[in-house]
Amino acid sequence: MPRIAKQLSERAVAAIKQPGRRAVGGVQGLHLLVSPTGWRSWVLRVVVAGTRKDWGLGAYPGVSLAAARDAARAVHDSIRAGEVPEPATSKRKRLAAEQLANTEKTFDFCVERFLDAKGVEWRNAKHRAQWRSTLAQYASPVLGALPVSEIERRHVLAVLTQPVGGESTLWLAKNETASRLRGRIERVLDWAAASGYRRSGENPAAWRGHLDALLPAPGKIQKTEHHRALPYADIPAFIAALRKRDGAAARALEFAILTAARSGEVRGATWDELDFENRLWTIPAGRMKAGREHRVPLSAAAVTLLKKLPGVADSPYVFPGARGPLSDMSLTAVLRRMNVDCVPHGFRSSFRDWAAAGNWPRELAELSLAHVTKGKVEAAYWRADALDKRRELMQAWAEYCQTHEETPPKKGGVNQAKKT
């Protein structure tokens, strides 16, 4: 016959603080459980069909001693009647599991829904395509078919450390790509949790306090990439050689040099962005890297170039390609055919070096390059107040570009300039 514990009073129970399990009497098997942190709760130990089970009856003192004894008696009565009651904690877990099963979604499903929900925030369709492409190439083979509720840190690590090139991993060999991928996985999982498809809590793709303890920091791996750029002293001779070439791509490259604009901004330029009367090119925020409108004062040379362009019927683009705007490799192809070892973006560095050598204000050059270097108030001041000064700068640059000598740029004479 089981030993019956001494029946404790409410006051005696309240005095129990030592971690462990303490029988309180009054009902067979009723205990007060005290955790190492001081948390106290009621546990009823019974035997059902030869198996010992513990039933949680709630936390103390939220559930009083009298209420715990009443609940314990009810459990014993059910067992004697041949019924096996379900503990409250087990019932909550079962209901939560059933609810999750009814809403179970895969990672691939959540990626598509996330893109539908958040894609409007991105500047253009290319950004959305990059998201989908990166996740499809690297994450989907590992995570795609998994229920999003089951994805753990080990799964994310399997994506980031997948083999690349035989002897390396994605995180080490292509860290910039892998870092973007990690952030995108984190955002998809955050969206899944907010949508009720996975339990809220720690995100297994989070960097700080999680993956940063397991993977080397990106700053310790990534090497600074440089855009190959012509020395600014070679620009006039290059412009002279470029003007001997026909085609929309050659003219687009020349326009990019004269305006110090990014190649994507030039390739996507439309006629309605141009104001010939005020000699101004206004690039909308949606096409700018910084996501803000940028005004480019046009030099006389840039205006002359634009007016000489043959218009293409039914095309809104200033530099049209076969289908829509020029491709992103068209300007690079011009440089390759000219056997000049630099890239279109490098001409922005040539412009900046020329401006520095001519003692133009650094802020003026940075603003002309659409670099965001100041707070919102100061940036707004520069955009409004420096247009005339920038017009003077861009006119001087265009005039310099045309002071050519009849000698081609030195082959292999390239600067290494940081990405701008």
Side-chain angles (χ1 to χ4, degrees), residues 295 297 364 367 381-391:
R295 297 186 296 170
L364 204 59
L367 187 59
Y381 166 82
W382 271 98
R383 284 201 307 274
D385 189 60
L387 183 61
D388 289 340
K389 295 176 182 178
R390 288 194 289 123
R391 187 180 298 281

Side-chain angles (χ1 to χ4, degrees), residues 236-254:
F238 173 78
I239 288 289
L242 179 62
R243 285 178 173 174
K244 295 177 181 178
R245 293 187 169 264
D246 296 325
R251 298 290 72 77
L253 180 57
E254 181 183 349

